[in-house]
Amino acid sequence: MVPTSFYLTLSAVVFTIGAIGVMVRRNAIVVFMCIELMLNAVNLSFVALSRSTGNLHGQVAVFFVMVVAAAEAAVGLAIIIAFFRSKHSVETTDASELNL
Amino acid sequence: MSQLGMINEIWLVSPLLILTAGAVAVLLIDVFLQRAWPGGLFTGFVLVAAMYTSNYLFLGEKFLPGQRIFHNLLYADRLSAFALGLFLCASIFVVLLAHEKLKQEKVEAAGEYYSLLLMTTIGAIIFASAGELITMFLGLETMSMALYCLCGSALTVRASSESALKYFLLGSFSSAFMLYGIALLYGLTGTTLIPELAAKLAGMDSTVLYIAIGLVLIGFLFKISAVPFHFWAPDVYQGAPTTITAYMATVIKASAVIALLRFIWGAVPGQAASWTGAMWTLAVITMTVGNLIALRQRSVKRMLAYSSIAHAGYMMVAMQVDPVLQGGGAAILYYLVAYTAMSLGAFAVVLVVASANPGEPDADEITRFNALAQSRPFLAATMALFMLGLAGIPPGMAGLLGKFYIFSSAVQAGFVGLAIIGVLNSAISAYYYLRVIVAMYFIEPQGDEVVEKPELGVGIAGILALCSIGVVALGVFPSALHDSARVTVQSFVNPTSLEITVEQMKAQPRPEFNLSLP
């Protein structure tokens, strides 16, 4: 049996890749995909930990996270389209009307 | 508590069910009547109905200390009742604002707007009354996702869609961190229920645990816009329609603060020593950065956004204090109510002033407030009261007492340095609040400039009057709210202790505010 720590390490690596992607990439759709990557990394953790702790709460949590990710995709892409309509671009660098 | 029975449990969430039915009904009616109906009034009616049921239940003493329903997934305790009352009240005010000024906000799709507003409120209530971390996450996402759409609801305003995009990307980024923290906590204990977590984590001390707590806190601190997770706040507050900004500054912030209290005092109280140090630093930089950057803002909406960051910092001061013994919890709940009244009123005034030039990016500049006292004396007088309240200067008594409770609890817990930094910060903040008053009362408009007279509806005038009365009355008679806040916190932090009534609580010493204090 593959030890839980392997899954957790993989999950941490994927989560980190997602987090770095959000900070480095400038295309809103790619940033959004990186966020989905982070959520799925957490799902992997949940399933692995569910096996190691011996109850099913973690597996159930994954379903909820998947629903949240799907809803996020619907809302997020709609927002990106609305943004594209007003600026003709999906680059986050073009979101500069309101200055920090 | 399964002995309640299914019927009673459903009865306890009836406000949520009413809101859900209302959200669906608004959408459907809007489709069939093709937008030719007063959706705002209907939404207000739904909120009042939910308020009535929750009040009825609350007076029926059905919200018992530590009571959990639906297999322990939701709390139905006094803190939930407190959250329900506060959120519904603030939502009713926001809906009334929207009812009068939605056209000037350039929001075309009124049905969707009101429906999403109800859904956000549902999410906020679930977020603040979750008894389990996954439920808390779901409440957070329900609340946030409807809110992302609301921020972008002024489709023809470029700043609106930009603020929606920024809020969406940063918001889902931060909630992914929170979810990862929840997964790690689950791995350490095998449970996500809040009291069970506290029991299993008692005495535990490991690096993974601290990482997990830190990750969950990132999600919360983002939502309450604490520095260094505040970068979204000014842009989103400025770009979103003003009614939504008012909603974010009050309901969303209060919901995140109450959920954060449930997490730090309910789930990880045993690890307090580890996060109070970080919280000390974050509270100081949140107050200071918020106040210093607010000094140089020209847009009043943006200035209020930075001020809301600073107020989150004041509340974080009391989070390091023992919630019951040193009065930290009651101070935060009191501050939340006071801040809600003051900032709702302030944003309502900004909304009225900005609606004189709808859709213009500089409609809320401070110069638009010049000589407001001559054209709209009532508007200027209430705005002056809210500004004084936010600065903590009489006659804005609620803000003054809120700060007093927070800093006195900090002093009681031995955080004297923190209290001094907080008081210095309030002094800095007085500058930018008073600047608005100076503009309204002492600056004459330029000779050739045509001053637009902002239109003030009956509903908004009523809201402003109610908020003003609230700001003064809460401060002059603080004992009713403060005592019930203390009972609420006590029954949440220590639910197994005997039920304490407000009458018994009054017998215990309360920090008395004395005007002769230096």
Side-chain angles (χ1 to χ4, degrees), chain A residues 10-26:
Chain A
L10 175 63
S11 158
V13 169
V14 174
F15 189 89
T16 315
I17 291 174
I20 292 173
V22 171
M23 289 184 270
V24 171
R25 299 303 297 263
R26 287 287 165 260

Side-chain angles (χ1 to χ4, degrees), chain A residues 55 58 72 86-87 97 99, chain B residues 141 161-162 186 190 235 302:
Chain A
N55 63 38
E72 215 159 63
S86 72
K87 309 255 175 168
E97 208 154 292
N99 284 320
Chain B
E141 287 296 308
S161 65
E162 181 178 324
Y186 166 70
D235 288 13
R302 212 173 163 81

